[in-house]
Amino acid sequence: MGWNWCHRLRGCLGLAMSLLAVGAAAEDGVSATEVVLGQSAPFSGPAGDLGRDFLVGAQSYFAMVNAKGGVHGRRVRLLSLDDGYEPERTAANTQQLIWRDKVFALFGYSGTATTLAALPAIREANVPLFAPVSGALALREPFNRLIFHVRASYAQETDFLLRQLQGTGRRKVAVFYQNDELGKSMLEQLRLRALVYGLTLVGTAAVERNSDAVEGAAQALLKVKPDVVIQVVSYRPAAALIARMRQAGYLGGFSHYSFVGSLSLSARLKECGIGAEIAQVVPFPNKARLPLVYEYRKAVAQHPGAVDNFLSLEGYIAARTLVEGLRRAGRALTREGLIRALETISPANYDGGGFSQHFSRTDHSGSDFVDLTAIGSGGRFIN
């Protein structure tokens, strides 16, 4: 009797120690019922539409997954904090998400300077960041195993835009850029790549982040008489510059990178925006030509007031791809397991609904898709 009692006690103690060990080894943000993700993005201020639109698309997919029981029985919960498109706030939000809120992974950060501000905490905690809304080289080189991209790079967008200009015969180019890490790096890239395509950079002008004070920039650019102004800014200063230059009689073109916020730009310009060109890194969101877009439109329709747009579709794609990684990582979810699982995704084994994603152990740039759209009459987009 005494031996049996001792034997059982040792067994119970062993089981208890095992359970404690499992609990101690469990990743932050993972429980039996949910996995918690963290996001810092602009939801207020001059760039607020960018964060809000992306979030609507992402939450549409997460809601659909959760309604079906989640991933391996866990609901996906996204904790989103507003950074107003200010790097200092992004850094503080990231610290909070990692150390206080103890999220499992980070998701959908918006902006280059803001995301760069988060990198020290990301590296220190060894937390994956999935789908930053930035194509900046600084987030891709040198290769960072913790960061996964679902959009093409700005270098790919640059070549696409310049190639299009070369084909139209518009040779004189000016650049209006955001005076920060992103804008300066893009300006330098445009200087170098314009020569490759036989284009001449005739002038530049800058604007501070979160400002739409463009009068001086507009006057400077009007003087150099460019065939086209390439705008490396978000929708608010972009719209302000177009309106100011059009009022002054400028008849040339305007080209934009995908991060400008297409719908917000069009809404602010109305008929003044006709002909403005915008590179896109996802397919048309309001034409269900692809299974992915049909699926996206059905999901977003469940959110009252939500509007189909390019950033919202990007958020949906990001959430869809991340959930695939969570599925592949299995029930015993760890950050390392998620990274390895995401690195197995390729067109050969993942149905992206017509939008290909491909990751590997040495390359986390999932897409090279770039398209060109223009604002048409009534604010509609054409390509």
Side-chain angles (χ1 to χ4, degrees), residues 92-170:
N93 285 350
T94 304
Q95 292 279 352
Q96 176 182 325
L97 289 166
I98 292 173
W99 305 115
R100 194 185 80 181
D101 300 319
K102 297 187 180 299
V103 300
F104 172 66
L106 300 171
F107 172 83
Y109 275 44
S110 184
T112 299
T114 46
T115 305
L116 287 172
L119 284 188
I122 288 171
R123 291 195 185 99
E124 180 183 356
N126 209 36
V127 176
L129 168 61
F130 194 81
V133 185
S134 170
L137 187 66
L139 295 173
R140 298 170 185 244
E141 294 182 7
F143 172 71
N144 188 330
R145 188 168 180 263
L146 295 171
I147 305 178
F148 289 81
H149 306 274
V150 300
R151 55 158 45 223
S153 70
Y154 291 150
Q156 290 168 314
E157 288 192 55
T158 296
D159 281 345
F160 188 90
L161 286 172
L162 296 179
R163 190 162 53 245
Q164 295 293 322
L165 293 177
Q166 182 188 47
T168 64
R170 293 178 287 178

Side-chain angles (χ1 to χ4, degrees), residues 50-65:
L50 304 181
R52 291 191 295 267
D53 288 346
F54 184 94
L55 181 60
V56 165
Q59 291 288 37
S60 297
Y61 190 78
F62 290 144
M64 187 169 61
V65 168

